[in-house]
Amino acid sequence: MGITEIFVVILCIGIVSLVAGIILMLLYFALTSICAKGSWENLIEQLFATAYYLLQIGMVIFLLALAGMTVSMAIEGIAKGEYKLRFGRIGGGHTTIKWTTRPIRFAFQTVAFIGFSIWLIYFSIKQIRSISKRR
């Protein structure tokens, strides 16, 4: 199992967490519209808090896995001296960017991959800080 497959598994865990958070949010909104204020109020508020934190954690996991995949793509491209980019799921177009034939495009692609990863990590750190402040 390569590094990319590990990040794909982590990405799937993040997506599952996001979907579970969305389902809990929908359950929260259904319960608040059905039930009147009373004995269920504490349970409903706990459900909302759980759904909120599950959504936030799922988003952070998803973004960090995406950043890891992007960094691994950049490292692999630098090691091979080329990027093979595909633009379709069913054998659509693809392009190859080689260091020897298109050095400016290769450098731009490397900077774009690494810059995007750094931005995702920065955004994830901000999200983690906002989650920890609300607790």
Side-chain angles (χ1 to χ4, degrees):
M1 180 183 274
I3 191 83
T4 306
E5 288 85 10
I6 292 171
F7 286 121
V8 168
V9 170
I10 295 171
L11 202 67
C12 290
I13 291 170
I15 290 171
V16 167
S17 180
L18 283 171
V19 169
I22 290 170
I23 291 170
L24 286 176
M25 273 296 179
L26 291 174
L27 182 62
Y28 164 76
F29 290 126
L31 286 175
T32 54
S33 65
I34 293 172
C35 299
K37 301 271 183 189
S39 63
W40 289 76
E41 185 175 345
N42 191 26
L43 178 65
I44 292 172
E45 295 302 321
Q46 287 178 350
L47 180 67
F48 177 75
T50 303
Y52 175 77
Y53 288 121
L54 193 59
L55 278 169
Q56 293 294 323
I57 290 169
M59 184 177 66
V60 167
I61 290 170
F62 178 80
L63 292 177
L64 287 175
L66 193 60
M69 285 179 62
T70 308
V71 165
S72 70
M73 287 171 55
I75 291 171
E76 183 181 335
I78 291 171
K80 289 183 177 180
E82 68 179 12
Y83 290 110
K84 290 185 179 181
L85 306 173
R86 299 187 190 276
F87 300 105
R89 289 187 281 162
I90 36 180
H94 70 278
T95 185
T96 303
I97 303 169
K98 293 184 178 185
W99 174 254
T100 55
T101 57
R102 296 167 40 181
I104 295 173
R105 174 75 177 152
F106 184 86
F108 172 76
Q109 196 67 44
T110 303
V111 169
F113 279 153
I114 294 172
F116 183 65
S117 298
I118 290 171
W119 181 81
L120 285 174
I121 292 169
Y122 172 75
F123 184 73
S124 298
I125 289 171
K126 283 180 60 177
Q127 286 299 110
I128 291 170
R129 285 184 182 167
S130 74
I131 292 170
S132 63
K133 284 181 183 177
R134 291 184 184 181
R135 288 190 139 197

